[in-house]
Amino acid sequence: MKRSLALASSILALAFSPAAAQDIVITNATVVVGDGSDPVENGTVVVRGGLVVAAGTNVMEPVDVPSLDAEGKWVTPGLFATVTTLGLWDVGAVSQSNDQRASRAPFSAALKAAPVINPNSQHILVHRAAGITRAAISTLPSASIFSGQGAIIDLDGDAFPVMQENAFQMVAMGERGASIAGGSRAASHMLLRAALQEASIARSSTPREHEIEAENGVLLGPYDVDALRHVVNGTQPLYVHVERASDIRQALALKDEFAKLDLVLVGASEGWLVAEEIAAAGVPVIADALDDLPSDFEQLAATQSNVGRMKRAGVKVAISASGLNHAGRLPQAAGNLVALTRVPGATGLTWGEAFAAISSVPADISGFGGKAGILKAGAVGDVVIWDGDPLEVGSVPTRVYIGGVEQSLDSHQSRLRDRYSSEDQGDLPRAYSW
């Protein structure tokens, strides 16, 4: 599957090369559609031209397509990881390889993640081998509360990973935002509202005479304000990172001042306390799966039941990859929420809900609802075959298809595993023979 950067700026810019895609029929599978429904046994998945044609039971098998017997194995859509920095860094401690932050840059909201993605990053290869086929990525806030403009990428490793650039804007509020803006939540709210009000003023060209300044430099320059116009007019979602219940309420209240805002809450450790208000506002949430410790003052009411309780209140909830250290642990996090249903007094997710929270729901929040993270007609042909229940911690993918193209599961990590798992060291240098 190849796609052009020229198409990346349009929503749902999915372009495929049918010649590169592999038509496949997978039979005798435990099929997970990814829409929240339960898995079905003895199912079939049909992919043609890079797109899903059908999935489930009673599927007509085309006679002109090669068939693969899954022998009862689990077959799912590719996972959709959100709030990640995949492709933006290699070694965190080596600044030359780390593009996650731009603390000395004169820009903030105008920063773009799309141009700096490295599709050959080992992080991308490792996460692809974990069943992740699409991801939302963003730089992190540093010089300002605004992170910059995130992008949606695929993990097929070709030269054009960007599916949609400028897909969303991230802003840090709560404790993190207060620290950056001047040491108080009052400062972060003032900066956010001033920026959005400035961006709401119609101009025919990029403003060059206005900026919001701080004693130690520019907090928001004209290009940042210009970038925020897409947020104010609702064409670019605003991801608001908040944890505390009162901060969540203030984030929701932004829609009273800026009616077109397309809000998404990120974090929301205390979301269960205001779950009905979030649901009533129709604002989706990307939350950590198991924040259960008051690691910060803004998380004093954190509980493992947070995601389950918000889901029961009617909130659309996806599981965030940001707090996992490794986005490949998304299935483990989802599986823990399933296990939580067996704990007296706790609220977790059903198996189908948990898998949807790492596949179709984050895809939907990212603007790719029905197009990714799901095995339904018309969706991208992202298919993963697992050696066991994908939400069990010991299960791993055995085959991964992205857009109908089977992917290599090889990476530096797998080669190191293979190199040292054999007693035959061959012609390895002597230094490795101890």
Side-chain angles (χ1 to χ4, degrees), residues 7 21 27 76 84-85 118 167 194 218 227 247-248 250 265 278 289 291 301 321-322 328 349 363 370 374 393 408 430:
L7 297 177
T27 63
T76 74
T84 79
T85 55
N118 175 15
V218 175
D247 291 332
I248 294 172
Q250 290 304 314
L265 299 178
I278 300 172
D291 277 346
S322 64
L349 300 178
I374 198 165
V393 68
S408 168
R430 291 180 61 83

Side-chain angles (χ1 to χ4, degrees), residues 59-211:
V59 172
M60 184 70 71
E61 300 177 26
V63 297
D64 58 338
V65 175
S67 179
L68 171 65
D69 186 346
E71 300 178 336
K73 291 181 179 177
W74 295 68
V75 178
T76 74
L79 307 182
F80 199 112
T82 189
V83 193
T84 79
T85 55
L86 291 176
L88 299 182
W89 63 289
D90 290 312
V91 180
V94 179
S95 60
Q96 294 89 340
S97 73
N98 192 337
D99 293 313
Q100 294 181 95
R101 300 180 189 273
S103 59
R104 298 189 301 277
F107 306 102
S108 57
L111 295 172
K112 297 183 178 183
V116 297
I117 298 166
N118 175 15
N120 297 320
S121 163
Q122 290 298 313
H123 295 287
I124 287 182
L125 305 185
V126 169
H127 286 79
R128 184 174 70 200
I132 296 172
T133 57
R134 315 268 164 177
I137 66 165
S138 174
T139 52
L140 303 175
S142 49
S144 170
I145 59 175
F146 294 102
S147 298
Q149 302 176 86
I152 309 299
I153 66 169
D154 63 41
L155 275 67
D156 67 1
D158 68 12
F160 307 105
V162 178
M163 299 169 62
Q164 184 184 350
E165 61 179 345
N166 307 332
F168 59 94
Q169 177 72 235
M170 180 92 81
V171 62
M173 300 298 285
E175 291 183 3
R176 176 63 176 157
S179 174
I180 297 173
S184 165
R185 284 177 168 80
S188 63
H189 279 281
M190 186 62 221
L191 176 58
L192 174 60
R193 282 166 170 77
L196 295 181
Q197 288 170 2
E198 180 72 12
S200 68
I201 300 172
R203 288 187 173 88
S204 58
S205 61
T206 301
R208 297 187 181 279
E209 68 274 21
H210 298 289
E211 60 187 22

